[in-house]
Amino acid sequence: MKTVLDRTFAIEKDVKDTKFYLLSAGAAPTEDYMKLMIESFRSYIGCFRAGGNEEGGYVFGLSTNAPGDVTGTGAMEKAYRLGFELIGNR
């Protein structure tokens, strides 16, 4: 997250009318474990002063402990659908 903050700080004043998406995978067994991450993500979006920014959605690959665990899960399908909505019908 720090890398994201560092890299967007320089362009912060130019980020407007943007949809933000959060994708994450990890060992957490339920979305309840991600509440703080979701709150932080929403706070981050609110930091851009230009306005018009909004949350586009989020996807969590839950109970994924090793590389490849997320393959074939509902998280993969949800991420695909979000991406398709974003760029698939251009």
Side-chain angles (χ1 to χ4, degrees):
M1 191 68 176
K2 182 178 179 339
T3 301
V4 172
L5 293 171
D6 289 347
R7 295 202 176 165
T8 56
F9 180 75
I11 61 167
E12 181 270 332
K13 66 181 184 300
D14 300 320
V15 178
K16 60 184 174 186
D17 301 321
T18 300
K19 280 191 177 183
F20 287 80
Y21 298 86
L22 173 64
L23 305 173
S24 181
T30 68
E31 197 171 300
D32 289 341
Y33 288 84
M34 304 302 197
K35 286 181 181 176
L36 183 57
M37 187 185 297
I38 294 167
E39 291 170 12
S40 297
F41 174 62
R42 290 176 176 153
S43 293
Y44 169 71
I45 294 168
C47 289
F48 293 95
R49 291 175 274 177
N53 299 309
E54 62 183 288
E55 177 184 333
Y58 56 85
V59 178
F60 296 121
L62 301 170
S63 299
T64 52
N65 298 311
D69 281 356
V70 75
T71 303
T73 67
M76 291 293 286
E77 178 62 28
K78 186 174 178 185
Y80 176 83
R81 283 194 316 266
L82 281 176
F84 187 80
E85 290 171 13
L86 181 63
I87 62 172
N89 51 6
R90 285 187 182 180

